[in-house]
Amino acid sequence: MNGAESLVRTLVAGGVDVCFTNPGTSEMHFVAALDRVEGMRCVLGLFEGVVTGAADGYYRMKGTPASTLLHLGPGLANGLANLHNAKKANSGIVNIVGQHATYHIGYNAPLTSDIEGLARPMSSWVRTSPDAKSVSADGAAAIAAARSAPAQIATLILPADTAWNEADGIAQVPAESQRANYSAQAVDHAAKVLRNGGASTLLLMTGSALTEHGLALAAQIAGKTGCKVMGQTYNPRMARGKGRFAIDRIPYVIEQALPILKDFKNIVLIEANDPVAFFAYPNKPSMLKPQGCEVHRMTSGAENSVAALEALAGALHAQPADRQPQKLVELAKPTGALTHASIAQAIAMAIPENAIMVDESVTTGRGFFPPTAAAAPHDWLQNMGGSIGFSTPVATGAAVACPDRKVICMVGDGSAMYTLQSLWTQAREGLNVVTIVFANKIYQILRGEFDGVGAGEPGQRALDMLKIDRPDLDFVALAKGMGVPGRAVANADDFVKALAEAIAEPGPRLIEVQM
């Protein structure tokens, strides 16, 4: 047994049985080991950003880490943007990165780089295995880090000779760490704030608090105390749809967020962070909470927020009967022109039971939340780190994790072009993903940001850097070239029909919404 085989056996024994991969020369012994060892599903991505993003989506839906296989420093670097998003979402991933043989590194071959230095900003755990006998133990430690609470991104660097030299065997992964229960004092303090603050208090939630059960408890607390419940602007996963407590998120746009938050005197954080602006803008605040508003942390990402909400509801004597009825947007089949409102209605009507919605719709999707609250029950995944090219890989990984659920990926045309190779992987694996590309032929969010930062009126050269026309992108043709059937729609009636057909069919489909 060589080092690579001992690592694969350790991964499989530790419950890491999916490898999203884009290998190179240094990883060939690991590739051979994947061929020999039973139990590992290997999913090829044609770009490392697809590989790392898929691992993020897999963790968000499965709750256990997948592995990635990346080629040296440049391969890792290609995947860093989506590792950034995964880190912000507290997704557990085990990265395996091949390295030159230890005796070859000193010759400064063309692909030589500081892999540990590249890995550290996006990984909470980084280690280079010094020899074959260390590989299995290092792999077990990486799995333990990825399964910790909160989960971490672990990067294990595997020199080629460490992979091909003889190893002893496999290592046992330490018992999975659980989320700490919660601080009783923090819950008691939050209860006191809510008793005294009522409607002037905001429960700001994210993470595990946004499960169906966590939201139901928050609904009881809100009904009992009159407090407001909101989610962060972006969240790793949120239970939504008919029968579930529908909450708003803090708007991305500062001018919309400030009036919503202006009257709160207290904010209770449940895994969430202080509400801050996404960017700095001239003459606009970075902190979105009003002056004098006190912030109280009830739980962090390492703690059991659902148990804390149960304790908080108990302390406040909040019962299911305290939950207030919610008025949801009435769903109606849209007709006529494609507008943000008609697109939102069409999507809300089309969402099937237990769907997974992956949202990188950027400007088009800012109005999606009100109507989709009345859709069939579903999960909603968002981009936590802001690095675009997030949605198509995450949808790919989510579909691998949940093959019995329909995944609907919503993405702007500019974002889609970053990791469009995801479609090829979806076709090869036969994944149930419907990709909706909103094609407005412009980085619309950047056009708004140009105004927001006070850069003046854009001239022709500036506009050329914001528009993505000349030539126009043909997403139907691009999808066809990667094995995914697609169609373009230019009105609401055709969009409704295309959605119904795409959701009814197995395997991947693409719809280009021409706006």
Side-chain angles (χ1 to χ4, degrees):
M1 181 188 302
N2 63 23
E5 188 171 329
S6 75
L7 179 54
V8 176
R9 291 185 184 277
T10 297
L11 290 168
V12 173
V16 180
D17 56 7
V18 172
C19 183
F20 297 101
T21 175
N22 188 279
T25 305
S26 303
E27 296 77 44
M28 286 299 102
H29 281 82
F30 194 90
V31 170
L34 290 169
D35 212 20
R36 289 192 297 268
V37 177
E38 295 296 324
M40 180 72 77
R41 178 179 180 181
C42 303
V43 180
L44 180 63
L46 299 185
F47 173 65
E48 292 89 342
V50 173
V51 169
T52 54
D56 179 13
Y58 182 91
Y59 182 86
R60 294 198 199 195
M61 297 311 304
K62 195 81 169 179
T64 58
S67 60
T68 71
L69 180 59
L70 307 169
H71 181 44
L72 293 162
L76 173 62
N78 279 342
L80 285 179
N82 273 328
L83 286 178
H84 164 78
N85 292 333
K87 183 178 182 181
K88 293 288 187 179
N90 290 328
S91 291
I93 299 171
V94 177
N95 295 313
I96 309 298
V97 184
Q99 170 63 293
H100 287 304
T102 54
Y103 60 81
H104 190 66
I105 294 173
Y107 294 105
N108 195 28
L111 281 168
T112 303
S113 65
D114 180 3
I115 300 177
E116 287 196 3
L118 288 167
R120 282 194 183 96
M122 308 307 175
S123 305
S124 301
W125 185 101
V126 179
R127 185 175 299 171
T128 300
S129 284
D131 52 58
K133 296 184 185 299
S134 305
V135 170
S136 59
D138 290 342
I143 296 169
R147 295 194 322 197
S148 64
Q152 300 178 36
I153 295 174
T155 298
L156 177 60
I157 301 162
L158 188 65
D161 52 333
T162 300
W164 69 55
N165 287 337
E166 186 177 346
D168 293 334
I170 67 173
Q172 185 172 355
V173 179
E176 186 173 351
S177 65
Q178 302 295 321
R179 288 179 183 267
N181 198 13
Y182 56 85
S183 164
Q185 292 85 353
V187 171
D188 289 343
H189 178 71
K192 182 179 179 181
V193 170
L194 286 160
R195 288 191 197 99
N196 296 333
S200 65
T201 300
L202 169 65
L203 287 188
L204 185 58
M205 311 204 308
T206 194
S208 63
L210 297 180
T211 59
E212 183 175 5
H213 185 39
L215 287 165
L217 291 164
Q220 294 172 205
I221 293 165
K224 182 72 173 182
T225 66
C227 73
K228 178 77 171 177
V229 182
M230 296 187 76
Q232 290 185 153
T233 305
Y234 299 103
N235 302 279
R237 177 178 173 181
M238 182 188 292
R240 305 191 68 248
K242 197 176 297 182
R244 296 170 172 177
F245 182 42
I247 63 173
D248 293 326
R249 300 168 297 160
I250 294 176
Y252 172 92
V253 179
I254 291 178
E255 290 82 355
Q256 296 172 7
L258 292 177
I260 288 173
L261 299 176
K262 69 181 178 62
D263 293 327
F264 290 119
K265 294 182 170 56
N266 293 280
I267 298 177
V268 175
L269 300 177
I270 304 175
E271 294 192 40
N273 296 316
D274 262 7
V276 299
F278 217 79
F279 295 104
Y281 299 93
N283 303 314
K284 297 177 185 179
S286 293
M287 294 297 298
L288 302 180
K289 64 187 179 185
Q291 286 228 340
C293 178
E294 293 189 36
V295 176
H296 317 266
R297 177 162 296 284
M298 190 172 89
T299 63
S300 69
E303 295 173 309
N304 189 330
S305 295
V306 173
L309 285 165
E310 288 175 342
L312 181 60
L316 295 167
H317 305 291
Q319 304 294 324
D322 292 316
R323 182 172 173 171
Q324 300 296 310
Q326 290 186 289
K327 186 176 181 180
L328 301 177
V329 173
E330 186 175 341
L331 299 183
K333 180 180 175 181
T335 62
L338 282 171
T339 65
H340 289 183
S342 65
I343 290 169
Q345 281 280 343
I347 290 172
M349 290 189 65
I351 293 174
E353 186 89 18
N354 210 27
I356 300 167
M357 309 297 293
V358 183
D359 183 9
E360 195 179 15
S361 51
V362 199
T363 49
T364 302
R366 286 180 179 165
F368 283 1
F369 252 49
T372 53
H378 59 273
D379 284 310
W380 199 281
L381 281 55
Q382 293 177 285
N383 187 346
M384 294 294 294
S387 178
I388 66 175
F390 145 88
S391 59
T392 55
V394 166
T396 302
V400 171
C402 303
D404 57 334
R405 300 176 66 174
K406 183 67 74 171
V407 181
I408 299 176
C409 171
M410 303 173 292
V411 60
D413 48 2
S415 298
M417 287 303 295
Y418 274 60
T419 46
L420 197 66
Q421 307 93 328
S422 303
L423 297 177
W424 183 89
T425 300
Q426 292 170 17
R428 182 185 238 215
E429 299 291 324
L431 302 178
N432 290 317
V433 181
V434 177
T435 300
I436 306 169
V437 180
F438 301 108
N440 58 9
K441 303 179 184 178
I442 186 172
Y443 289 122
Q444 185 60 49
I445 190 168
L446 294 185
R447 181 62 188 88
E449 296 297 316
F450 196 96
D451 294 337
V453 300
E457 187 65 28
Q460 189 58 52
R461 275 180 295 197
L463 288 172
D464 282 345
M465 287 183 277
L466 305 180
K467 291 183 177 180
I468 47 177
D469 57 1
R470 303 192 343 261
D472 291 343
L473 294 163
D474 185 341
F475 283 94
V476 175
L478 289 164
K480 181 181 179 182
M482 285 182 276
V484 174
R487 63 178 292 185
V489 297
N491 60 65
D493 302 84
D494 287 346
F495 185 38
V496 169
K497 183 179 179 182
L499 275 171
E501 291 174 353
I503 289 169
E505 292 292 327
R509 295 289 187 277
L510 178 137
I511 303 169
E512 179 182 345
V513 180
Q514 297 177 338
M515 302 174 66

